[in-house]
Amino acid sequence: MKIGVFDSGAGGLSVVKSLLADNLFDEIIYYGDTARVPYGPKDQNTIIRYSLEALEFFNNFEIDLLITACNTVSAYALPEMNAQSSYPVVGVIEPGVLALENSDLAKNDNILIMATRATITSRRYELALEKLGHTNITSLQTGLFVPLVEEGIFEGKLLDATMEHYFSAIEQPKAIILGCTHFPLIGEKLKSYFKDEPILIHSGEAIVEYLERRYDLEVKEEEASLKIFASDNVAGLRKIADDWL
Amino acid sequence: MKIGVFDSGAGGLSVVKSLLADNLFDEIIYYGDTARVPYGPKDQNTIIRYSLEALEFFNNFEIDLLITACNTVSAYALPEMNAQSSYPVVGVIEPGVLALENSDLAKNDNILIMATRATITSRRYELALEKLGHTNITSLQTGLFVPLVEEGIFEGKLLDATMEHYFSAIEQPKAIILGCTHFPLIGEKLKSYFKDEPILIHSGEAIVEYLERRYDLEVKEEEASLKIFASDNVAGLRKIADDWL
């Protein structure tokens, strides 16, 4: 299976890491729209327009499936992208919600959704969880973790102060949805900040589980080949890939 | 005099605020490329390409002069912009350096340049100051203040922790160049963080002083009219303008 991965920037490489781990795919084509990252603060129409332009990039490759690693794209542009492509386009929100549902969470356990402005405003995670009967959901815009991760700040006083800034007044969560591709990189710190180590829902792991079931995928002998492209500073993106993967 | 102001996003409104204060201009046309903000982390070629595209926007208006409020654009794209426009394009770096020179700073007094990655990497401020004989310059990438200001965080523990993160190990400055349009909004906090209140160089004030001298401008009776345009979310930008101006 040859899959495309689309992200607004470098963050989607955290999803690629999971895709590579399980040897389920033949080839992975990654495209980051680094010239226009971040999508989070942009208008819905602009997010849709940029996402449809990414489809044109993937038309150069005969992919079987496209994953939108970016939560913002997953929240806003999936119907439009699916309408304009010959292959399925799968986002990270539905897989994340299903992964949570497969854990042994009670309906009134507190679930914390951490994401950037656009994803929280879309209420996609929230509505899907409410539909499944969850009654205790905290939605939080935690956009400042994105530049911290991009600056390589994974621990220390500034990260602690940022967690305190966002979390000092909220309920203790039983599970956290990492609703932005950057957040798995501070996953361990988030776990240790809260008491009783909450369950973390990681988009990469969730989507692998989802595709494995839906397409009945089998483990290959060889690791998938990975090609990385970007709309700007492709060398920088490949360097991040070397560091992360 | 009818002037254009170009910025990568909303930050340039801090320059507009200074332009409006002194009643020197007839009309101000502001264009923020909010669909592609921020320019700071992008490649030089991309910055130049986007800046030249902004010229096409201003071709719709008969402006006498264009100010690039964005430090990144000022650092990288001025020669190309001037080559392709019929009016002068003026950046914020030269005016900032001249404003510093007009203060009573000794050549060995420490000057702190705070800016985003692209501006610091360009070394434009640094080289200009060295040319004037300054021997004690600290260049610092302080990009995390940008999202803080955009989140409306102008005081409190998180801002304090960010200042500590950047400034705990540097020399006490006699002057600070605010090398990003967002930084004047935390100017007072920066002043009080350091001992002996350093001189702050503010791009908006510097460019007004510069234009006043160069074009021998006179004070008008009426305030300039201001028109605001953006490549994305123009309503959001106009709301920020209402708050700031």
Side-chain angles (χ1 to χ4, degrees):
Chain A
M1 198 174 201
K2 185 172 177 179
I3 54 174
V5 178
F6 168 49
D7 188 60
S8 55
L13 291 168
S14 71
V15 170
V16 169
K17 191 169 186 170
S18 305
L19 295 173
L20 288 173
D22 288 1
N23 285 12
L24 296 170
F25 309 98
D26 299 306
E27 204 174 335
I28 300 170
I29 311 286
Y30 185 91
Y31 175 63
D33 190 8
T34 45
R36 304 189 290 199
V37 70
Y39 282 12
K42 300 194 203 307
D43 267 359
Q44 183 172 356
N45 288 340
T46 306
I47 294 164
I48 293 171
R49 180 157 54 88
Y50 287 178
S51 301
L52 293 177
E53 285 172 20
L55 287 182
E56 287 172 34
F57 170 84
F58 286 104
N59 285 343
N60 300 312
F61 304 90
E62 291 183 358
I63 57 171
D64 301 308
L65 179 102
L66 178 63
I67 296 170
T68 59
C70 174
N71 276 270
T72 304
V73 173
S74 302
Y76 286 101
L78 279 191
E80 289 80 0
M81 291 178 87
N82 269 301
Q84 294 206 14
S85 68
S86 53
Y87 41 80
V89 183
V90 181
V92 289
I93 293 178
E94 193 189 345
V97 170
L98 287 176
L100 193 73
E101 211 43 28
N102 292 333
S103 66
D104 56 351
L105 223 57
K107 296 297 183 194
N108 62 348
D109 282 340
N110 182 260
I111 302 168
L112 169 62
I113 306 166
M114 287 173 56
T116 58
R117 185 172 66 82
T119 305
I120 293 295
T121 309
S122 80
R123 301 190 67 225
R124 292 293 153 96
Y125 278 112
E126 213 177 325
L127 295 172
L129 291 169
E130 282 176 7
K131 216 169 169 181
L132 291 168
H134 289 282
T135 55
N136 190 1
I137 302 163
T138 306
S139 287
L140 215 56
Q141 296 186 21
T142 58
L144 291 172
F145 289 121
V146 176
L148 284 176
V149 165
E150 291 190 343
E151 294 277 319
I153 297 170
F154 304 120
E155 56 183 7
K157 283 182 190 165
L158 185 51
L159 184 61
D160 293 344
T162 310
M163 295 221 233
E164 201 56 28
H165 174 73
Y166 284 128
F167 303 139
S168 62
I170 66 163
E171 187 177 339
Q172 172 73 24
K174 279 272 183 187
I176 303 176
I177 294 182
L178 304 172
C180 172
T181 52
H182 288 66
F183 297 165
L185 286 106
I186 51 166
E188 289 309 309
K189 287 294 284 181
L190 288 167
K191 256 189 179 169
S192 63
Y193 177 88
F194 293 106
K195 278 172 268 172
D196 309 326
E197 295 221 340
I199 301 163
L200 297 188
I201 301 296
H202 176 303
S203 297
E205 291 164 11
I207 204 154
V208 168
E209 209 179 299
Y210 176 88
L211 294 178
E212 209 172 348
R213 285 184 196 198
R214 181 157 155 189
Y215 294 97
D216 204 12
L217 298 173
E218 281 174 22
V219 176
K220 312 264 172 197
E221 285 188 12
E222 284 179 32
E223 199 179 63
S225 79
L226 171 65
K227 290 199 183 79
I228 292 178
F229 302 90
S231 52
D232 184 52
N233 193 5
V234 65
L237 186 62
R238 286 178 181 149
K239 207 204 149 291
I240 297 173
D242 283 344
D243 291 349
W244 286 15
L245 303 177
Chain B
M1 198 176 203
K2 184 173 178 179
I3 55 173
V5 177
F6 168 49
D7 188 59
S8 55
L13 291 168
S14 71
V15 170
V16 169
K17 192 170 185 169
S18 304
L19 295 174
L20 287 172
D22 288 3
N23 284 13
L24 296 169
F25 309 99
D26 299 305
E27 203 174 336
I28 299 171
I29 311 286
Y30 186 90
Y31 175 63
D33 190 7
T34 45
R36 305 190 290 200
V37 70
Y39 283 10
K42 299 195 203 307
D43 268 359
Q44 183 172 356
N45 288 339
T46 307
I47 294 164
I48 292 171
R49 181 158 53 88
Y50 288 178
S51 301
L52 293 178
E53 284 171 20
L55 287 182
E56 286 172 34
F57 169 84
F58 285 103
N59 285 344
N60 300 312
F61 304 89
E62 292 182 357
I63 57 171
D64 301 307
L65 178 101
L66 178 62
I67 295 170
T68 60
C70 174
N71 277 269
T72 304
V73 173
S74 301
Y76 286 102
L78 278 192
E80 289 80 1
M81 292 178 85
N82 269 300
Q84 294 206 15
S85 68
S86 54
Y87 40 81
V89 182
V90 181
V92 288
I93 294 179
E94 192 188 345
V97 170
L98 287 176
L100 192 71
E101 210 44 28
N102 292 333
S103 66
D104 56 352
L105 222 56
K107 296 297 182 192
N108 63 348
D109 282 340
N110 183 260
I111 301 168
L112 169 62
I113 306 165
M114 288 173 56
T116 58
R117 186 171 67 81
T119 304
I120 293 295
T121 308
S122 80
R123 302 189 66 224
R124 292 294 153 95
Y125 278 112
E126 213 178 324
L127 295 171
L129 290 170
E130 282 176 7
K131 216 169 168 181
L132 291 169
H134 289 282
T135 55
N136 190 1
I137 302 164
T138 306
S139 287
L140 215 56
Q141 295 186 22
T142 57
L144 291 172
F145 289 121
V146 176
L148 284 175
V149 165
E150 290 190 343
E151 294 279 319
I153 297 170
F154 304 120
E155 56 184 5
K157 283 182 190 166
L158 186 51
L159 184 62
D160 293 343
T162 309
M163 295 220 230
E164 200 58 27
H165 174 74
Y166 284 127
F167 303 139
S168 62
I170 66 162
E171 187 177 337
Q172 171 74 23
K174 280 270 184 186
I176 302 176
I177 293 182
L178 304 171
C180 172
T181 51
H182 288 67
F183 298 166
L185 285 107
I186 50 166
E188 289 308 308
K189 288 293 284 182
L190 288 167
K191 256 190 179 169
S192 63
Y193 176 88
F194 292 105
K195 278 170 268 173
D196 309 327
E197 296 221 342
I199 301 162
L200 296 187
I201 301 297
H202 177 302
S203 297
E205 290 163 11
I207 204 154
V208 168
E209 208 179 298
Y210 176 89
L211 295 177
E212 209 172 348
R213 285 184 195 198
R214 184 158 153 188
Y215 295 96
D216 205 12
L217 298 173
E218 279 174 25
V219 176
K220 313 262 172 197
E221 283 190 16
E222 284 180 33
E223 199 177 63
S225 79
L226 170 65
K227 289 200 183 78
I228 292 178
F229 301 89
S231 52
D232 185 51
N233 194 5
V234 65
L237 186 63
R238 286 179 181 148
K239 206 204 149 293
I240 297 174
D242 282 343
D243 290 349
W244 288 13
L245 304 177

